[in-house]
Every structure is written in C-alpha cells, then in structure tokens.
Amino acid sequence: MTTISAGPGAAEPAGVRHVKRPTPLRESVYEALTEMIIDGTLERGRHLVEVELAGLLGVSRQPVREALQRLNNEGWVDLRPGFGAMVHVPAEDEVDQLLAARAALESESARLAARHASKDDVAKLRELCKVGTAYQEAGDIDATVRTNGELHSLITQMSGNRFLVDFAAQVDRRVRWYYTPVAPVRGAASWREHNRLVKAISEGDEDKAAQIMREHTEHTRKAYHDLQAAAEPAAAPEPEAAPRRRRRTT
Amino acid sequence: MTTISAGPGAAEPAGVRHVKRPTPLRESVYEALTEMIIDGTLERGRHLVEVELAGLLGVSRQPVREALQRLNNEGWVDLRPGFGAMVHVPAEDEVDQLLAARAALESESARLAARHASKDDVAKLRELCKVGTAYQEAGDIDATVRTNGELHSLITQMSGNRFLVDFAAQVDRRVRWYYTPVAPVRGAASWREHNRLVKAISEGDEDKAAQIMREHTEHTRKAYHDLQAAAEPAAAPEPEAAPRRRRRTT
DNA sequence: ACTTGGTAGACTGTCTACCAAGTGCCATGC
DNA sequence: GCATGGCACTTGGTAGACAGTCTACCAAGT
C-alpha cells in the first residue's frame, strides 16, 4: 500500500478521465504477491527467490525486487540481506498490537466521520448496514466479510484524512490476513454495533461514534483471543521443518 | 520508514552483538535523500533525476531507483512515470491532517504507556523533561527540539506497540519537515504540558495521559495555524519558476 | 561425539548496457 | 498569437555479469 499517493482509483477533479495507463509492472507484481500471501499460496516462512518469482510471473528480476522491497517495508515479508525474502511469520502478540493500532485509527476516523458526515455518506452507510445484515442473516460469509470491509473503509474515508485512511488500510489488510478464520464467529453482534455506529455518525455525535468504534474493535480482539485460547490446547502443529533451501535440481 | 522490521537497532537477546554489517546501498541512499530533503538541500518541487542523483552519490541507477520508490511510498517525493520524481510539495491541508493523525497515534501511545510504564521508563521521562526544560530556558532551540523528539519517541516506544511506534515515527518525521519553523514558538507551554503528561503516566492514569497528549498535539496544531495566518498576508513568495528541466549542457 | 576446515551451490546486491515508450519543451510555420 | 511537430530527456523494463555472502554438506582431526 502506497503510504501516500493518489493512485488511479482515488478521487480526481470531477470530469478528468485519464486514459488507461498500463500499471507499472512492480505494482502488478506487488498485488500478485500480496494476493498469494493472503490466500496461502506462499505459505508463512517460505523463502522467496527473486528469479523464481520472476519466472513465475513472467517478468525480470527488477520489478520483483522492487515489489519485494515494498512488501518488506509493509511487513509482509522479511528481507535478510544476502539471503533473500521470507514470508513474514506473525509473532504471538502481533495480531493484538495490530488490533490495538486499528482501534486507535478507526476510532479517530469515526470521530472525524461524525464531524464531517454528509447526507450522501450517511445514506451509503445505512445501505451498507442493511445489506450487510441481510448477508449475515443469510449466512453468506464471504459477502458479509466484504461488506464489513467496505463499511469500515467508507468510514475512514469519510474522516477526510488521507493519513488515517492509508494507515488504516494498511493495518486492515494485515489483520485480514492473520484473522480470516475468526471473522465469521461474531457476525450478529457485529452488525448490531455497526447500526449503532452509523446512527451516532448520522447524528454527528463524535464522542459516541469514537466510543462505539473503539468498543467494536475491542470486541473483535476479544473474539480473537477466545478463539485462540480455544484452539491452543488442540493444536501443536507440525514440527515445522526449518526453511530449507532446496538443493540443486539436477 | 520501514513499517515493520526489527532492524539492527531493535531489542536483541541480551549479550548478542552482531558485527557491523554494511548497510545495503539503497538504504544509505534513502537516508541521504531524506536528509537532503529535510534540510532543504533538495527544495520542494525540485525535479529529481535518477542518473543525476546516482552521479551525485557515486552509485548506479539501481539503488537510487529503489530509494526513490520508497520515498514515493512514504510521501516524500511524487513519482511521475516517464518524467521523474519531484520533491513533494505539501498541500494546504496536509499538515493539518498529519497533526490530526499524530494526535490519534500519540494519544493512544500515551494511554498504553501509562498502562505499562516501568520505574525505569518513568525515570527516563523525568530526566528528559528536566533537560528539555533546561534547554528551553537556555534558549538552545536545536537541543530543545531534539529532546522533544526523544521524549515523544520514548513514549510511543513505551506503548509496546510496534505499529504505533512505526506509524508515529513516520508521521513525526514528516511533521518535523513541514513544521520546523514553527517549533520554537511555543516552547515554555509545551514543556509544562510535558511535565503534566509524565506525571499522569507515572501515576498510571491512562485517560488523563491520553487526554493531555491529545491537547498537547492540538495546541501544536493551533500554533501552526496562528503562525500560518500571521505569515499569510506578508508572504507572496517568489513567483516560483516552474520546475524547468535544464536543457542540454553542451 | 564434537569441532574444525574446506567445498560447492545458491542468492542477493550492485553495476553496466540497452531499448521502448512516454513527457515536456521549443521552434517552426501559419 | 497559437497550434503542430519534432526532439531531447527520462523512466520502466530487460539482460547479463560479477563479487560477496549465506547455507548446507562432507571429511578429517581430536
């Protein structure tokens, strides 16, 4: 995630329509790699070799390098000089810290959103709440998760603060990576909270909005912990072979 | 700023002392460039050409490219494909947003710092307050600013949340760049606030610490605005020659 | 059994050279 | 004055080379 940058998707002076500019390769590579990390194709701890990825994606080393460096800056991979990149292995306390950071960022966003909310925004929020709840009740997990993401993203954008937007997006993506298995569990409660949140925003009640958002995130963290604690005793997962570098292919 | 990464400066299992490993060139280039941007050697809006920088720093294009991309991701420069990088020119509202983000991040940090404060940390904070105030009274601007930075940095680190640390550091550096001229003006009040803040932290009063930090940052923002408003009418600075590309040197 | 030394292969970090395509500037021509 | 076309410049990407470093592994030596 580019820390600061308009990007072609961002808001532009109305009416300006840039012709299709082919995305820089490094961008596509970056996208492809995060994708593969999130969906598990590149499993945690795996040694990523530049030429290998280059071959896989049909590009040369350079764009791959650039993408890897960005991934490193954003914590998706760890770059060890002279050795290469390994897919990041999240530490025990990392999800916790991530969720704490998210609480701060999104709570502040909610406060500012409440301050600046336009009629239009509120309408969109209400709509998202409605469809989200519907999905949830229908048991469509994927759609629910997606809608949840859209709702949160819209709120941060409503803050009008591009730094908050950017940091929150960064954190959010990481959270979703670690956290996917937990997401479904607390569906119903989550959407009740969303509704209260949107209400507070529409009323312009900053403190209340910030407060609700903070509790909302806090509940999420709690849910993660409970799930973790429940899974703990059961799982003493594979002895986890050290990240061996494969020997010659000959 | 590396979003996540231990780095050689991070805490290590006591007693481990790695030998000096030569930093990758791209890193040094990155450092050199931020340095030059902050101290104004590379003025805002300036057109940065890869080969030029490469020559200037005595390296090849490659490390320069990589450094520029990171600078772009972090908002120090804007990369225009096919043209080159320009040193970022802060928008009107950017400082404001930056300070708002900082308020959220540091306020949360202060809260967590109050929660986890150790005797040692508190002692260090007190010391910093003391010397900071002394510098301030002695009129040593540079030392005051530096100590201020150290104090804030220590507090974020005390939060124990590496994401907060990291984001805050990123924001802080940007703020310091835009903001340097303002820093001196509100010296005395600022250090009184620091003292109250440290007291709250040492007492473990989370809410109070967060509250004070937020107000502290808010005052800073106000100071910036006042100064801005005062300077506005006076300054209609140079017509600002468009970033000309120099024609051939032959 | 444990250390030491040596070897080999695998990668990265960096450099050089090169080409295609896009961008902005300038001068020409109307 | 203003459009137009050309031109120089710069990036984005590719390819190949080379040194330095890191890992694993093997073979003596203790």
Side-chain angles (χ1 to χ4, degrees):
Chain A
M1 135 113 314
T2 302
T3 302
I4 305 303
S5 82
E12 273 180 15
V16 198
R17 206 95 239 91
H18 280 150
V19 233
K20 182 208 117 192
R21 174 187 320 293
T23 325
L25 263 192
R26 52 163 178 263
E27 210 75 15
S28 318
V29 173
Y30 169 85
E31 299 291 350
L33 291 180
T34 42
E35 194 80 10
M36 286 197 280
I37 290 175
I38 293 179
D39 76 16
T41 310
L42 302 175
E43 65 277 24
R44 301 170 186 195
R46 164 146 172 190
H47 183 200
L48 302 179
V49 178
E50 292 176 2
V51 282
E52 207 168 282
L53 298 176
L56 187 66
L57 301 172
V59 300
S60 69
R61 260 179 82 198
Q62 179 110 345
V64 173
R65 281 180 65 82
E66 294 172 348
L68 283 177
Q69 268 154 45
R70 180 156 159 209
L71 289 169
N72 175 62
N73 289 338
E74 287 165 17
W76 294 93
V77 309
D78 302 305
L79 232 41
R80 259 194 302 166
F83 175 72
M86 335 238 322
V87 179
H88 180 69
V89 182
E92 188 55 51
D93 56 353
E94 215 165 296
V95 182
D96 224 52
Q97 296 185 7
L98 223 30
L99 288 173
R102 192 170 80 148
L105 291 166
E106 300 220 347
S107 157
E108 183 70 9
S109 295
R111 177 188 304 278
L112 295 175
R115 190 174 304 168
H116 302 132
S118 74
K119 275 232 162 341
D120 244 37
D121 292 328
V122 172
K124 267 188 243 160
L125 285 179
R126 289 225 172 86
E127 180 60 22
L128 281 172
C129 263
K130 215 176 78 183
V131 303
T133 309
Y135 282 139
Q136 199 277 316
E137 282 167 0
D140 185 341
I141 305 279
D142 272 6
T144 311
V145 171
R146 184 165 36 74
T147 310
N148 177 70
E150 283 169 17
L151 182 76
H152 280 259
S153 163
L154 176 55
I155 291 176
T156 55
Q157 277 175 353
M158 284 171 60
S159 77
N161 186 315
R162 66 189 100 170
F163 299 94
L164 287 179
V165 171
D166 216 64
F167 289 142
Q170 213 168 128
V171 169
D172 218 57
R173 246 177 134 187
R174 287 284 290 281
V175 169
R176 233 170 316 168
W177 177 32
Y178 298 162
Y179 184 73
T180 326
V182 193
V185 296
R186 60 180 230 82
S190 178
W191 285 97
R192 270 199 301 281
E193 288 161 17
H194 284 156
N195 271 304
R196 291 206 304 133
L197 176 59
V198 170
K199 182 150 177 292
I201 290 178
S202 72
E203 289 166 357
D205 190 338
E206 301 181 14
D207 289 339
K208 197 166 163 194
Q211 177 67 16
I212 294 175
M213 183 62 108
R214 177 170 295 269
E215 285 167 7
H216 179 62
T217 318
E218 215 53 47
H219 289 164
T220 299
R221 164 150 71 172
K222 193 128 194 171
Y224 179 80
H225 273 151
D226 292 352
L227 199 96
Q228 203 68 359
E232 188 93 351
E238 333 112 68
E240 193 58 61
R244 266 199 144 64
R245 177 197 313 229
R246 67 234 147 293
R247 208 63 177 166
R248 69 155 71 231
T249 28
T250 347
Chain B
M1 147 103 309
T2 301
T3 301
I4 304 305
S5 80
E12 275 179 11
V16 200
R17 207 102 232 91
H18 280 148
V19 275
K20 179 209 125 195
R21 168 172 342 276
T23 329
L25 262 191
R26 53 163 181 270
E27 210 75 16
S28 317
V29 173
Y30 169 85
E31 299 289 351
L33 291 180
T34 41
E35 194 81 9
M36 287 198 279
I37 290 175
I38 292 180
D39 75 16
T41 309
L42 302 175
E43 64 278 25
R44 300 168 187 197
R46 164 142 173 193
H47 183 199
L48 302 178
V49 178
E50 291 176 2
V51 283
E52 209 168 279
L53 299 175
L56 186 67
L57 301 171
V59 299
S60 72
R61 260 180 81 197
Q62 177 121 336
V64 173
R65 281 178 67 162
E66 294 173 349
L68 280 178
Q69 258 146 50
R70 181 157 160 207
L71 289 169
N72 176 62
N73 288 339
E74 288 165 16
W76 294 94
V77 308
D78 302 306
L79 233 41
R80 260 193 299 166
F83 176 73
M86 333 238 323
V87 179
H88 180 68
V89 181
E92 187 54 51
D93 56 352
E94 212 165 302
V95 182
D96 224 53
Q97 296 185 9
L98 222 30
L99 288 174
R102 192 171 78 150
L105 292 167
E106 299 218 348
S107 156
E108 182 70 9
S109 295
R111 177 188 304 277
L112 295 175
R115 190 175 304 169
H116 302 131
S118 74
K119 276 235 164 335
D120 244 37
D121 291 329
V122 172
K124 268 188 241 162
L125 285 178
R126 290 225 171 85
E127 180 61 20
L128 281 172
C129 264
K130 216 176 77 186
V131 305
T133 310
Y135 281 138
Q136 198 277 317
E137 282 167 359
D140 186 341
I141 305 278
D142 272 6
T144 311
V145 171
R146 185 166 35 74
T147 310
N148 177 71
E150 283 169 17
L151 182 75
H152 280 260
S153 163
L154 177 54
I155 290 175
T156 56
Q157 278 175 352
M158 283 170 60
S159 77
N161 185 315
R162 66 189 100 171
F163 299 94
L164 288 179
V165 171
D166 217 63
F167 289 141
Q170 212 168 131
V171 169
D172 219 58
R173 246 180 133 186
R174 288 284 290 281
V175 169
R176 232 173 315 170
W177 175 34
Y178 298 161
Y179 184 73
T180 327
V182 195
V185 297
R186 62 180 229 83
S190 177
W191 285 98
R192 269 198 303 279
E193 288 161 17
H194 285 155
N195 271 304
R196 291 205 303 134
L197 176 58
V198 170
K199 182 151 178 289
I201 290 177
S202 73
E203 288 166 357
D205 189 338
E206 300 180 16
D207 289 339
K208 197 166 163 194
Q211 178 67 16
I212 294 176
M213 183 61 107
R214 179 171 291 271
E215 285 166 8
H216 178 63
T217 317
E218 216 53 48
H219 290 163
T220 298
R221 165 149 71 169
K222 193 127 195 175
Y224 179 80
H225 273 151
D226 291 352
L227 198 97
Q228 203 69 359
E232 187 97 348
E238 334 111 68
E240 191 59 62
R244 265 202 145 60
R245 170 198 319 227
R246 69 238 143 292
R247 213 59 180 170
R248 70 153 70 229
T249 28
T250 347

